[in-house]
Amino acid sequence: MLATVLTAQPVPPADKLSAPAIDYGAIMPVLIVLGAACVGVLVEAFLPKHQRWPVQVVLSLATLAGAGIAMAVYLGDESTPKNGVITLAGTLAVDRPALFLWGTLLVLTLGALLLIADRSVEPGGAFVAEAAIRPGTIQDRAQVAGTGMQTEVFPLTLFALGGMMVFTSANDLLTMFIALEVLSLPLYLMCGLARRRRLLSQEAAVKYFLLGAFASAFFLYGLALLYGYAGSVKLADISNAAAGTDRSDALLFGGLGLLVVGLLFKASVGPFHTWTPDVYQGAPTPITAFMAACTKVAAFGGMLRVLQVGFESTSWEWRGVLWGVAIVSMVIGAVLGLTQTDVKRMIAYSSIAHAGFLLIGSIALTDQGLSGTLFYLLTYGFTTLAAFGVISLVRNADGEATHLSQWAGLAKRSPVTAAVFTFILLALAGIPLTSGFVGKFVIFSAALQDGMAPLVVIALIASAVAAFFYLRVIVLMYFSEPAADGPSVTVPGAFTTASITLGVIATLVLGVLPAFALDWAGSGTFAFQ
Amino acid sequence: MSAVLAAAAAEVSTGEAIAFWVLGPVALAGALGMIFARNAVHSALWLVLTMLSLGVMYMVQQAPFLGFVQIIVYTGAVMMLFLFVLMLVGRDSSDSVVEVLRGQRLWATVLGIGIAGLIVGAVSRSLTDVPVENLQQQNAGGANVNNLGKSIFTEYLFPFELTSALLITAAMGAMVLGYLNRHEKGMKRTQKELVEARFRGEYERPSPLPGPGVFATANSVATPALLPDGSVAPESLSRLIDSTASETFSDEIKSVAGTEPGPDAHALTPSTKDTSTTDTKNTEDTEETR
C-alpha cells in the first residue's frame, strides 16, 4: 500500500523547475540597500559598542552612494529599455516613474540619515542609549547623562528604505503588501527610541503600530477580494479582468476600497490621518523627518501605480470617492492646522493638507498628473526634511522647544535660523520662487486639464487658509519680543548643517530652475504587463 | 442563482456533502458558543472547535496544505497564545460593563447588523457572476504542497525572499526593545549581593513572601496565606496574578497592616483606634496612681 502511494507521487524532473529571470542591473539599488542593511545587523553583532557609530555611519552613507551610482549606471546604459523592464517573474517593474521615485527616496534618505547620525545638537544623538531600560527609573536617569545611542537605527533605516523602494516598484499586490510591512516595521520601532520624553515617544510608537497593523489588515482584505475577482494578484491582470468581463463588481470595488484605505493610511490622507500628529510629535525628530519625507513618497508612489496600472479602466466608478477624500484631507489639514500650538503638530497637519494636494495629482490619470505628482513628492520631501532639521535646533534644557510660544522673537536671537525657517514655511505655503509653488502649479494644471476644476478651486482656498498658519509663525518669529527664559538655538554640527542645506538648496533650485526635474519626472510612464 | 447552486450541487460527491453537513453545524455551533460563553477560556475553546472544523473543510475541498496550516498555525499556535494571555490576565477578571460612550451598544448592534447585511448581500450577489475555479491546476499531479513550493520559488520568489527582511527587522526589534545588559554596573544585583542587601535592611523584609501555608485550603498562588488567627496575610496576595483576590481582601489587608484611613485632621471625634489606646493608657495611668 505504502509502496503504491509512494510510486503514485510524481517526482518532477530536476530541470522542470526553472528560476525566474532576474535583471540584476535593474534591481541592483534595491539589492545593495537590503544587503547593506544585513551587513549593518552583523556590525551590531560583532563590533564593540564604541566602534559601532562610526562604522554604521560610513556604511550607511556608502550604501546610499553605491545605490545611487548603480542607478546612474543603469540609467546611463544605452541598452536600458525606455519603457521599463518587468523582472523577477513579474513581481518588480523597474520603469521610469519607479526609477524617479528610487532616486527621490535615496536623496531624501541621505538627508534624513545625516539628521539621524548627528550627535552635536543633542549630545549622543536623538536616540536613547538602551531602549529596554524603563522610563523614569534610576537607570534611565543615569543614561540621560551618557552619550551612547542605539545604533540599530542605521540598519533599520536601510531596511525601511529597501521596503519603500520595493513598494514603489511592486508590480503585484502581494509584493506590495510585503514591502509595506518591510517599510513599516522599522518605522514603528524607531518611533519609540527618543532620548527625551520617552513615554511620549513610546506612546507614539504603540499608536502607530496598532493603527498601522489595522490598516495593513484592510490592505490584505482588499487584496484577497481582488484576488477572488481577478484570479491573480498582478495589477495588469486585475486591470484586464476589470476591462474585459462582466464579473461581480462587488468584489472589485469592495477590494479596491479596502486596498485604498490601507494606502491612504500610510500616506496620512485625512480621514485616515488620526495617527499623524501624535506620531510626528512623539517620534525622535530625525525619524519624523524620515517618515514625513520618505513614507509619503513611497505611499503615493504605490498609490499612483495601483490607480494608473490596476484601475484606470474603472476610474469612472471610484474617482468621485477619491475627490471627496481629497477635499476632506485638505480641509482637515488646513483648518485643524490653524488651531495648533506645537510646531511639530502644525507641520503634521500641514502634511495632511499636502497629502490632499498630492491625491488630486494622483487621481488625474494623465501623464501630466503622474509627472506632476512625482515632482511634488520630490519638492515636498526636501522642504519637510529641512523643516524638521530646523525644529531640532531650537532647544531648551528639556530638549526641543516645540511650543509655538517659545518660538516668539526667534529672529532676534538667531536671524539665520529664523530666515531659513521662514523660507521653508513660504515653500510649504507655495509662494513663487520656491519649489512649493512649482509643485502646486503642475499638479493643479494637470487636474484642470483632466476636468477637475471644482477640486482645484477648493484646493486653492485650502492652500490660502494653510498659508495663514505658516505666516502666523513667521510673524511670531519676527514681530514678537523673545521671552526671557526662551529657548536657545543650538549651533548645528556638520551633519545637521549639511542636511538642512541640502533641503533648502533643493527647495530653492527646484523653485527657480525646475525644468530638469520636471523633464525627468515626465520621462516615461508605468510599465503595463 | 438556484441554477448555479443546483449545478454546483451536482458536482459535489456524497462524501463531501456528508462532511459538509456534519462540519458546518459544528463550526456554527463553535462560533455561537464563542460569542455566548460567559467564561473567556470556554470562549477560546469554542473558537478552537470552529477553527478545527474549518481546517477539515479545507482538506475536503482539495486544499490539504491550507487545512494543515489552519490547524497548526491558528488552532495550534495562535490559540495557545490566546490562552496564555487569558491565564496571565487571570481567568476570573472581566471587563467593566459600564458603558463609557452612551448608546454605544445600540449603535454597535445597528452598525454591526448593517455591515453584516452588506457583506452577505455583496457575497451572495458575487456568487452568481464570479467564475468558479477549482484547484485542478494547483493540485496537478496530486501534489498540492509540491506545487505550492514551486510557485514560491518561481512566481513569488521575490516576495518570499523579501520576508527575510521582515524577520530580521522583527528579531532586531525584539532585541532593541527587550535586551538589557544586566552585567553592567548599576544593573541587576547578583543573588549574593541581594542577600547581603536584604540583611542590611535595604528591603522591607529579609525572607521571601509567605506562600499559602498550612492553614490554606488550596495551594494555588492565588490563594492567600492565612495567619494563625485566621486572617489573611497581606504579603501573600499578588497584585500581578490575580487582581480580584487582593481587591476582595483589601479591607482585611488594611486592618492587618494597620493602614486603615485615620481620622480627618479636622474631625472633632478621634478615631476608634486612638480612643482605645488612650483608654488603655488612661487605665494604666490610673492603676499606677493607685
Side-chain angles (χ1 to χ4, degrees):
Chain A
M1 176 69 194
L2 188 66
T4 53
V5 170
L6 283 179
T7 47
Q9 292 278 338
V11 181
D15 60 344
K16 207 175 157 192
L17 194 71
S18 56
I22 303 173
D23 188 343
Y24 282 104
I27 62 163
M28 191 49 83
V30 175
L31 295 183
I32 289 176
V33 169
L34 289 175
C38 295
V39 175
V41 176
L42 292 180
V43 167
E44 285 299 316
F46 289 110
L47 281 191
K49 225 168 199 172
H50 61 278
Q51 290 179 4
R52 288 182 201 162
W53 183 83
V55 175
Q56 291 284 20
V57 171
V58 171
L59 176 72
S60 311
L61 294 179
T63 306
L64 295 180
I69 291 168
M71 215 180 81
V73 168
Y74 179 69
L75 271 173
D77 193 353
E78 289 296 319
S79 60
T80 304
K82 270 300 253 182
N83 47 6
V85 292
I86 305 255
T87 181
L88 274 161
T91 49
L92 277 188
V94 186
D95 41 28
R96 289 300 154 126
L99 286 168
F100 182 87
L101 288 165
W102 285 6
T104 309
L105 284 170
L106 285 172
V107 182
L108 291 177
T109 307
L110 172 69
L113 203 69
L114 290 172
L115 287 179
I116 290 172
D118 191 281
R119 295 203 292 187
S120 64
V121 175
E122 165 97 58
F127 297 93
V128 68
E130 286 220 44
I133 295 177
R134 271 191 283 164
T137 54
I138 303 167
Q139 293 94 335
D140 187 45
R141 264 167 263 149
Q143 75 169 347
V144 170
T147 53
M149 79 182 257
Q150 201 95 50
T151 43
E152 282 89 349
V153 285
F154 293 102
L156 287 174
T157 308
L158 289 182
F159 271 126
L161 172 65
M164 289 167 186
M165 290 169 77
V166 175
F167 193 73
T168 54
S169 66
N171 197 35
D172 70 54
L173 293 174
L174 195 64
T175 312
M176 199 172 227
F177 173 69
I178 293 172
L180 179 74
E181 293 299 306
V182 172
L183 84 87
S184 303
L185 211 54
L187 287 178
Y188 300 149
L189 192 58
M190 290 191 289
C191 279
L193 297 183
R195 179 183 288 265
R196 308 288 190 120
R197 301 194 182 104
R198 288 188 60 201
L199 279 177
L200 205 63
S201 162
Q202 291 180 350
E203 184 193 329
V206 171
K207 262 185 196 165
Y208 193 23
F209 173 66
L210 291 179
L211 291 175
F214 198 48
S216 295
F218 272 96
F219 188 96
L220 202 57
Y221 203 166
L223 195 167
L225 292 186
L226 288 172
Y227 181 68
Y229 174 76
S232 165
V233 289
K234 285 205 166 57
L235 290 171
D237 291 348
I238 292 171
S239 177
N240 291 335
T245 62
D246 52 348
R247 300 182 212 199
S248 158
D249 285 346
L251 285 182
L252 176 67
F253 294 118
L256 172 65
L258 293 168
L259 193 78
V260 168
V261 166
L263 290 171
L264 291 176
F265 173 87
K266 271 291 151 207
S268 73
V269 183
F272 311 101
H273 68 283
T274 42
W275 59 276
T276 317
D278 289 348
V279 175
Y280 277 25
Q281 189 189 16
T285 307
I287 297 304
T288 314
F290 180 58
M291 258 191 326
C294 296
T295 312
K296 203 144 253 169
V297 174
F300 273 102
M303 190 139 52
L304 278 170
R305 187 181 293 276
V306 166
L307 295 181
Q308 296 220 346
V309 177
F311 296 96
E312 193 174 6
S313 52
T314 46
S315 62
W316 276 108
E317 315 276 347
W318 50 259
R319 217 175 189 187
V321 180
L322 287 187
W323 265 58
V325 173
I327 293 171
V328 168
S329 187
M330 289 184 296
V331 169
I332 288 177
V335 173
L336 290 185
L338 285 175
T339 63
Q340 298 308 309
T341 53
D342 185 288
V343 183
K344 279 169 107 176
R345 287 183 87 86
M346 192 196 81
I347 302 280
Y349 278 103
S350 134
S351 92
I352 297 165
H354 281 280
F357 301 142
L358 280 161
L359 193 61
I360 296 176
S362 309
I363 58 180
L365 298 173
T366 54
D367 289 355
Q368 284 84 7
L370 173 64
S371 67
T373 313
L374 292 180
F375 181 80
Y376 199 107
L377 284 170
L378 181 71
T379 62
Y380 175 74
F382 278 120
T383 313
T384 318
L385 191 68
F388 282 109
V390 173
I391 288 174
S392 74
L393 297 182
V394 182
R395 316 177 69 85
N396 59 17
D398 296 334
E400 285 160 7
T402 52
H403 199 273
L404 269 179
S405 63
Q406 292 169 305
W407 284 58
L410 200 76
K412 297 196 174 65
R413 287 171 195 266
S414 175
V416 180
T417 312
V420 167
F421 202 61
T422 304
F423 179 67
I424 293 163
L425 289 174
L426 291 178
L428 286 174
I431 306 294
L433 287 185
T434 62
S435 61
F437 172 75
V438 186
K440 282 203 175 71
F441 181 79
V442 288
I443 278 198
F444 292 162
S445 61
L448 276 178
Q449 280 178 13
D450 209 30
M452 295 196 284
L455 199 53
V456 173
V457 172
I458 296 172
L460 286 173
I461 295 171
S463 39
V465 175
F468 177 74
F469 64 77
Y470 301 127
L471 291 177
R472 197 180 56 165
V473 178
I474 297 174
V475 169
L476 193 70
M477 285 194 301
Y478 279 93
F479 301 110
S480 297
E481 281 304 313
D485 55 344
S488 59
V489 176
T490 316
V491 177
F495 283 147
T496 299
T497 313
S499 177
I500 296 174
T501 313
L502 175 76
V504 170
I505 288 182
T507 305
L508 184 65
V509 169
L510 291 174
V512 181
L513 302 165
F516 76 98
L518 279 171
D519 285 346
W520 192 26
S523 63
T525 52
F526 287 118
F528 183 89
Q529 192 178 319
Chain B
M1 181 173 155
S2 56
V4 177
L5 284 183
E11 290 171 19
V12 174
S13 65
T14 325
E16 194 177 338
I18 293 173
F20 175 79
W21 287 113
V22 171
L23 291 170
V26 171
L28 194 62
L32 289 175
M34 184 211 143
I35 293 174
F36 292 115
R38 291 207 163 263
N39 189 324
V41 176
H42 294 176
S43 200
L45 291 175
W46 280 114
L47 187 59
V48 169
L49 183 67
T50 303
M51 287 179 165
L52 281 174
S53 334
L54 286 181
V56 178
M57 272 196 216
Y58 291 147
M59 285 182 229
V60 171
Q61 295 190 322
Q62 304 176 326
F65 182 74
L66 189 60
F68 279 110
V69 167
Q70 166 85 17
I71 290 174
I72 294 168
V73 175
Y74 282 93
T75 320
V78 175
M79 283 314 296
M80 286 312 112
L81 280 180
F82 233 91
L83 287 176
F84 270 141
V85 173
L86 279 181
M87 297 297 182
L88 275 179
V89 174
R91 78 192 161 75
D92 290 334
S93 58
S94 56
D95 277 340
S96 160
V97 287
V98 180
E99 288 189 34
V100 185
L101 304 170
R102 282 191 69 185
Q104 179 191 16
R105 284 188 201 192
L106 180 72
W107 281 109
T109 316
V110 170
L111 292 177
I113 291 174
I115 201 160
L118 270 180
I119 290 173
V120 168
V123 169
S124 63
R125 230 163 57 96
S126 57
L127 276 180
T128 53
D129 44 8
V130 167
V132 180
E133 294 195 24
N134 60 17
L135 297 174
Q136 260 162 18
Q137 193 196 336
Q138 279 76 6
N139 291 342
N144 178 279
V145 179
N146 285 12
N147 291 334
L148 271 176
K150 208 182 283 175
S151 73
I152 283 178
F153 283 102
T154 55
E155 210 180 336
Y156 297 111
L157 176 69
F158 186 67
F160 177 68
E161 296 286 344
L162 198 61
T163 47
S164 63
L166 209 56
L167 291 178
I168 295 173
T169 311
M172 198 156 70
M175 297 274 285
V176 167
L177 293 182
Y179 174 71
L180 203 56
N181 191 355
R182 291 180 197 280
H183 302 295
E184 268 178 31
K185 211 165 183 274
M187 291 294 166
K188 200 179 176 185
R189 292 174 168 183
T190 63
Q191 200 175 8
K192 191 178 172 189
E193 286 166 346
L194 205 60
V195 168
E196 284 171 357
R198 276 187 168 148
F199 277 93
R200 235 183 278 123
E202 290 181 27
Y203 291 80
E204 274 179 27
R205 51 190 295 146
S207 65
L209 294 170
V214 284
F215 297 108
T217 49
N219 62 357
S220 152
V221 193
T223 312
L226 298 182
L227 295 172
D229 61 353
S231 62
V232 170
E235 307 97 317
S236 68
L237 298 174
S238 166
R239 286 200 170 274
L240 278 181
I241 292 176
D242 202 346
S243 53
T244 47
S246 59
E247 274 157 24
T248 319
F249 291 110
S250 59
D251 288 341
E252 280 192 63
I253 295 171
K254 279 179 191 154
S255 69
V256 171
T259 54
E260 280 172 316
D264 189 356
H266 303 289
L268 292 173
T269 52
S271 80
T272 48
K273 205 166 146 194
D274 287 352
T275 27
S276 65
T277 44
T278 41
D279 282 347
T280 43
K281 262 188 188 165
N282 285 346
T283 43
E284 276 167 17
D285 287 350
T286 42
E287 271 168 15
E288 273 173 24
T289 44
R290 274 176 201 168

